[in-house]
Amino acid sequence: MSSPSSSSHPEPHRWSTADLAGPTLIFVGAFLLAVTIALPTLLVGGFRTIPLSTDFTTVATADDATIFDRCSLETRTARTVGADLVRQQRVVAVQPSDEHRVTLQAGTSIQADALRIDGREADPGDPRPGVSDSDDAAQPCNDATVNAIKDRVTLDRKNALPRLAARGASEIQYDSGQAAVLVPDRRGVTYLLPFDTATADREFFDPITRTTVPLVYDGDTEVQGRDVARFRAEVPDTDLAREALGRPVGTNVSITRPASWFGFDDSSRPLTASLHHRSSWDLAVDTRTGTIVDATITVDEAYRFPDGIPGVPAGFELPHLRATFGYDDDTQARMTDLADDLASPILIWGRLVPIGTAVLGLVALVAGLILINPAWLPARFRRRSGAETVGGQPE
């Protein structure tokens, strides 16, 4: 006979593992679905910015170029020579940089790898007419460096455009012996483009002339087996002396010599020619990351005279640098690998992981709901489950 107390106070219900399985799976499923939504918007957004660890080097070569022989400044007549050139550029992130901006410093140099003088090949450092044994200049005329500049600019990490307010920088140093030139109104991209680059026109900044020109989308192509977008910029003819743009290393923006030196006549009257620059840029861009994986850069620099000078033929030009540079194979492969490295976290955390968490989350959510309410099971599964239950009861 049971006691009255036991009948009036039923034993408390205790949750079994089976009771908790359903709610637990629902919680896990909801959490995984929340992660699916949060990953592309919160985590992946940080990957779509210019890295603070940016550091890359590109090498472009130009065969059969024409350059002005600086040593001929000390000879009776001007001279140009054929040359094989190497253009090297290193871009590295420096300070000031933070979560919103990054300052890039780009050092660019053009070196002569070999010269062709009077039909024979020569080393750029070999003695030739005009070289002086007592030449103690900072850069002798037979130095292999054709020109070099150092550019420093602060960019917005998201759109890759100059961000010069609040201690931002934009300055270009054309000569190590002179102060850098400030560029407070700089606009346009130069060394890289933003992540998720749209195939639309934008602006390009040229450090030599310090001008901003249109950067026009020019169709798609393929580099190292990857689909890329082509952009083209045309830098118009600019008189570097008239614009007072600074003197690149090894470059005279104007030359004053007797008319006979330029090859006009035997007159000793002095004439002054100024250096003009124009160029075109054909850039192959990985649109996922804004990385420039290939480039063709055509440079045309020549000394010219103002119109109307007596005795000077119309259209006379003394070439200073005429060359077409193209990234070498190693640079194309290296920059393509860099683009892949920058895109991998976006692919993994922005697509693959969210797909996985979404699938697992839905499976866990459905399983939890079924465990809570078995009536949601299809009829044939309910019958099978009921039969197993009856068959398993003790007689």
Side-chain angles (χ1 to χ4, degrees):
M1 181 175 176
S2 61
S3 63
S5 62
S6 61
S7 60
S8 61
H9 298 285
E11 293 184 3
H13 176 73
R14 295 185 178 182
W15 292 87
S16 65
T17 302
D19 293 330
L20 294 174
T24 301
L25 286 173
I26 291 176
F27 173 79
V28 172
F31 174 77
L32 290 175
L33 291 178
V35 169
T36 301
I37 298 172
L39 279 177
T41 57
L42 299 180
L43 179 62
V44 177
F47 294 136
R48 290 192 174 97
T49 58
I50 301 174
L52 297 178
S53 59
T54 296
D55 188 350
F56 60 84
T57 300
T58 61
V59 176
T61 58
D63 298 330
D64 299 324
T66 299
I67 63 173
F68 171 68
D69 185 359
R70 292 189 302 268
C71 294
S72 68
L73 289 170
E74 304 301 327
T75 63
R76 295 177 60 88
T77 57
R79 180 173 63 236
T80 60
V81 297
D84 295 333
L85 305 177
V86 177
R87 180 184 186 272
Q88 183 167 307
Q89 182 177 85
R90 184 188 180 192
V91 180
V92 60
V94 296
Q95 293 299 324
S97 296
D98 53 38
E99 61 178 327
H100 301 297
R101 60 180 180 166
V102 60
T103 299
L104 298 183
Q105 181 169 287
T108 307
S109 67
I110 296 178
Q111 304 274 338
D113 189 50
L115 300 181
R116 283 175 292 280
I117 304 175
D118 299 329
R120 61 180 180 83
E121 187 164 305
D123 186 271
D126 288 347
R128 56 182 182 268
V131 176
S132 172
D133 294 335
S134 60
D135 190 355
D136 58 354
Q139 185 191 25
C141 68
N142 60 341
D143 191 296
T145 301
V146 177
N147 62 44
I149 66 170
K150 183 169 67 175
D151 183 16
R152 188 166 173 263
V153 58
T154 302
L155 305 178
D156 187 291
R157 293 182 64 193
K158 289 186 177 180
N159 59 29
L161 294 176
R163 184 171 177 168
L164 307 182
R167 297 192 308 114
S170 178
E171 55 187 28
I172 304 173
Q173 189 169 19
Y174 298 97
D175 190 328
S176 59
Q178 298 179 1
V181 179
L182 300 180
V183 192
D185 56 348
R186 181 168 181 160
R187 306 187 325 275
V189 299
T190 302
Y191 305 107
L192 44 77
L193 279 72
F195 279 73
D196 299 324
T197 294
T199 52
D201 297 352
R202 58 190 67 234
E203 291 183 318
F204 176 82
F205 177 81
D206 174 45
I208 297 294
T209 61
R210 299 207 300 274
T211 56
T212 299
V213 298
L215 183 63
V216 180
Y217 172 62
D218 196 29
D220 299 327
T221 187
E222 187 175 288
V223 175
Q224 296 287 316
R226 275 77 163 180
D227 293 331
V228 296
R230 286 227 174 250
F231 292 87
R232 185 173 182 82
E234 296 283 351
V235 180
D237 183 272
T238 304
D239 185 342
L240 299 184
R242 182 175 58 84
E243 299 295 338
L245 292 171
R247 183 178 66 83
V249 171
T251 302
N252 296 83
V253 293
S254 63
I255 293 178
T256 301
R257 285 292 185 275
S260 59
W261 185 85
F262 290 99
F264 298 146
D265 51 40
D266 293 332
S267 171
S268 60
R269 64 188 176 104
L271 296 177
T272 299
S274 59
L275 182 62
H276 288 245
H277 172 101
R278 63 173 175 260
S279 60
S280 65
W281 300 70
D282 188 1
L283 308 178
V285 179
D286 175 80
T287 56
R288 302 169 301 168
T289 63
T291 304
I292 299 173
V293 298
D294 191 18
T296 300
I297 307 165
T298 301
V299 180
D300 186 350
E301 293 183 348
Y303 292 101
R304 300 178 194 164
F305 294 96
D307 295 334
I309 296 181
V312 175
F316 171 84
E317 294 184 338
L318 173 62
H320 174 262
L321 170 60
R322 284 178 171 162
T324 298
F325 297 92
Y327 280 4
D328 61 17
D329 292 340
D330 289 342
T331 297
Q332 291 181 14
R334 189 165 57 250
M335 297 306 290
T336 303
D337 290 342
L338 173 61
D340 289 341
D341 291 342
L342 293 174
S344 291
I346 299 174
L347 174 64
I348 294 172
W349 295 101
R351 182 177 301 176
L352 300 182
V353 173
I355 289 175
T357 55
V359 172
L360 293 175
L362 289 174
V363 170
L365 197 61
V366 171
L369 292 173
I370 290 174
L371 288 176
I372 289 177
N373 189 357
W376 289 5
L377 281 170
R380 60 193 183 92
F381 288 109
R382 290 203 304 272
R383 287 195 297 269
R384 182 182 302 171
S385 176
E388 291 174 354
T389 302
V390 172
Q393 287 180 349
E395 297 181 355

